Structures are given as structure tokens and as C-alpha cells.
Amino acid sequence: MLTGFYPSLRLRRLRQNDTLRAMVQETRLTVHDLILPLFVEENLNQRTPIASLPGVFRETETSVIKTIGKAQALGVNAFIFFGVSHKKDSQGTDSFTSGGILDRVFRRVREACPTALLIADACFCEYTDHGHCGPLSKHGDVDNDGTLMNLGKQAVTAARAGADIIAPSGMMDGMVQAIRAALDAAGFENTPILSYASKFASCFYGPFRDAAGCSLGAYEHARKDRKTYQMNPANAHEALREAALDVAEGADMLMVKPGLPYLDIISAVKREFKMPTFAYQVSGEFAMLKAAAAQGMLDYNSALMESLLCLKRAGADAILTYGATDAAQILRNG
Ligand code: PBG
């Protein structure tokens, strides 16, 4: 690595001014890297702020169109959707019924925003009354294979309604294979799968659970955490096995989640598989930036941009972030 030694070699030579620094910059964040998550709630009169995620709203089925338009005006053109259902049941049926919330949201947005890239988060926690990511077995744990059957239906429902990409996030064994088979059987062989391949059982999802209304606890016998399906934050080798399995099952893109506390995983997944690799800057990461900024401890714009750049440096090709529109505005302002 060393091409000399001090005093003949001085690395500060290339840091002397903006132009030179920009020329030797190794990683760049662009507006094409950004994906904006959106919460859409049914039967809502007006968009409602989410207390634990300052600046983020539960959108109505119409206000979401305007929010997408604002992001698009700044160059953000990829969106991932979370439905907030008022018809929850033990299976999350509302997410795979024709006329259900997922079906409606994608049909409306598809029609109103024909050029936007629409990603469906394929999971059940926002649609089940117990808040778990699939139907429960009698032991109160998520029934893996029962979930796969429903996942296939949910993926096809979203694709039919206009979703461009299906992103399974439930960490069920076999989820990519099940979704690929269901999509292909329904004629959606060109719909890519973005697998949340290495998703950890993280406390950083806290604000999301408020936002999407998917807390656990309603069922006496149900498990009170997601540790039987989401991964142990201590495990890096297992994260690679998870990703390898999803690649073998036909995933087109891989995701690591959360983002900043898991940079080593992003880096390892990118290096190992050389696949399009996405990172999710999750609700808790975003809330920390906002909270620190509100207290005057950090500058929000700088902290947001640095954290996104570092996710890219680690190996992320694209980033899901609640700050996507803010970041696009900052990029535009220079
Ligand atoms: C599950 C899902 C979750 C998030 C995205 N998809 C919640 C969870 O796994 O508990 C969290 C995103 C965030 O915290 O911003 N459908």
C-alpha cells in the first residue's frame, strides 16, 4: 500500500482544496441511490405525523400521491410501501385480498405515478392482529410454511396491482423460492425479488412499529419478540449463509438491515456475492439523527449525508431511508 514514507510521502497533498478532494473521492451518493419508505393508512382523513419519526407521516390513500410527487420533483423515483390496515386478522388477509389495502394502494399509485419504481414490502406484521410476520402455530411461534403460502398470494396481489419489485422482509426459510414460484406461475417472471436476506432482530425498529402499528402482545400465548425468525445481531457468518441461500433461491438483489450498526455485514455481503446490495437505514437510526439534531447536538443535514455516504462506502448500491427526500434536496442545493 505504501508508495513512500514521510517526509517524501505526504497524504495531505491530495486534501488541499475542494476540487482536488472531489477528484480523488472514492464514493459518491446520488439521488439514484435513494429509496423512500411510505406508510399508507386506510380510513384516515388527513396525513398524520408519526411522533417517533419526526418529519415522517402516515399518509392517506390520496396524500401519498402528493408526497411521491414532491420526492419525484427532487429526483427520488423509488418507493417502498407499508400498508397500515384497519382490518387485521390472524393471517393478515387484508394484504392478499383483492380490494384490500395493499391491492388498493398499488393500483392507485401505479395509476397516478406511472414512472415511479414501486417496491412491495412482502410481510404480514402490518396486517396481522398479533403483529407477527406470519400466521402463528399453536405454540405461539410463526408458522414458517403456512407463511410461505400466504406470501406467494401477497406477492402476486402486489404485482397484479402494479408493484415493480417484491421485497420479502419476514426472514422465513424458503421465502424467496416460494415468491419466485408464485410470481412465475402468475406470469410475473420479470418481476425482481429484493430479499431482506440478512435482517437482524434489532431494537432499532422501535419507531417503525409505532408507525406501522405492528407491536406484539395482543395474543397471550404468542412470543413477545421476533428472535425465532430474525437474526441474532451477534452473527456475521450466519448472515452470509442467509444471503447465500437467498441467492440460490433466485433473489435478484440482497438487503442488509439495519444499516449503520451493520456496516461489516453490508461489506461482507457485497464482497462475497457481488450482487446488487441494498441497505436499510431503519427507523431507529433515523430517529437518533432527528433527536440529536433537535437537542442541538448534531447538524441533521451533515449527519444524514455522512451516514448515507458511509453506507455506500461499505458496499450498498442503494439505501432505503426516511431521509430520502431531504437528502435529494441537499444534493440539489450542493
Ligand atoms: C417488516 C418490516 C419491519 C421494518 C421494515 N419491514 C419491522 C420489523 O421487522 O419488525 C422496519 C423498518 C424500520 O424500522 O424502519 N415488515
Side-chain angles (χ1 to χ4, degrees):
M1 281 286 273
L2 280 181
T3 52
F5 205 68
Y6 170 84
S8 60
L9 178 63
R10 291 172 186 268
L11 294 185
R12 287 184 56 187
R13 282 181 197 132
L14 299 186
R15 296 178 202 144
Q16 290 186 65
N17 61 56
D18 283 345
T19 308
L20 198 48
R21 281 194 296 271
M23 208 172 273
V24 299
Q25 179 163 333
E26 298 173 31
T27 310
R28 279 199 166 75
L29 182 75
T30 79
V31 77
H32 308 292
D33 306 326
L34 302 169
I35 301 168
L36 178 66
L38 293 164
F39 300 98
V40 187
E41 180 166 356
E42 62 184 326
N43 297 332
L44 205 60
N45 291 328
Q46 54 179 357
R47 70 203 284 258
T48 311
I50 299 164
S52 54
L53 278 177
V56 183
F57 292 78
R58 287 188 186 203
E59 303 284 348
T60 73
E61 292 180 33
T62 40
S63 74
V64 69
I65 307 290
K66 207 165 149 189
T67 300
I68 291 172
K70 275 192 193 146
Q72 284 184 313
L74 289 164
V76 176
N77 202 30
F79 305 89
I80 185 163
F81 294 84
F82 301 100
V84 184
S85 172
H86 287 191
K87 299 183 201 71
K88 299 185 184 205
D89 62 16
S90 64
Q91 302 268 326
T93 317
D94 201 27
S95 67
F96 53 91
T97 312
S98 155
I101 183 159
L102 202 75
D103 182 39
R104 288 200 311 278
V105 168
F106 278 106
R107 281 183 198 281
R108 285 211 183 164
V109 175
R110 179 76 291 156
E111 199 186 341
C113 315
T115 60
L117 188 77
L118 309 182
I119 306 173
D121 178 86
C123 193
F124 294 96
C125 57
E126 308 103 276
Y127 312 103
T128 54
D129 51 11
H130 45 70
H132 274 289
C133 300
L136 300 178
S137 69
K138 58 178 180 299
H139 311 294
D141 195 1
V142 173
D143 169 10
N144 191 88
D145 300 3
T147 305
L148 296 187
M149 281 174 43
N150 291 351
L151 259 181
K153 294 183 205 165
Q154 192 191 61
V156 171
T157 302
R160 268 202 191 114
D164 296 299
I165 294 175
I166 307 297
S169 65
M171 289 298 284
M172 295 301 130
D173 286 322
M175 67 183 185
V176 173
Q177 187 184 62
I179 289 176
R180 187 71 272 156
L183 287 173
D184 289 358
F188 293 105
E189 60 280 332
N190 284 324
T191 302
I193 297 175
L194 162 60
S195 179
Y196 287 68
S198 310
K199 174 171 174 180
F200 293 86
S202 169
C203 70
F204 289 103
Y205 307 147
F208 175 93
R209 303 222 170 113
D210 287 346
C214 57
S215 302
L216 306 175
Y219 283 29
E220 190 70 45
H221 76 294
R223 295 190 53 91
K224 300 295 178 278
D225 61 52
R226 294 173 213 267
K227 292 180 186 171
T228 66
Y229 42 105
Q230 297 180 353
M231 283 184 49
N232 182 342
N235 294 357
H237 291 148
E238 190 189 354
L240 292 176
R241 293 185 82 198
E242 279 286 359
L245 261 177
D246 286 2
V247 173
E249 288 181 26
D252 300 283
M253 299 166 278
L254 302 173
M255 198 193 305
V256 174
K257 179 180 171 197
L260 223 45
Y262 295 83
L263 291 181
D264 57 326
I265 310 289
I266 298 170
S267 167
V269 166
K270 185 65 187 180
R271 212 175 321 119
E272 184 75 20
F273 301 102
K274 300 180 174 59
M275 298 263 293
T277 302
F278 292 21
Y280 199 142
Q281 180 178 57
V282 301
S283 56
E285 297 176 64
F286 183 76
M288 287 199 300
L289 297 182
K290 284 283 187 171
Q295 304 252 348
M297 294 170 176
L298 281 180
D299 176 61
Y300 169 71
N301 285 3
S302 313
L304 176 68
M305 297 314 266
E306 184 174 328
S307 62
L308 297 177
L309 183 68
C310 292
L311 288 163
K312 282 212 72 182
R313 190 201 61 229
D317 297 292
I319 304 163
L320 296 83
T321 172
Y322 301 95
T325 309
D326 293 339
Q329 180 78 64
I330 296 164
L331 287 169
R332 179 157 295 191
N333 295 347

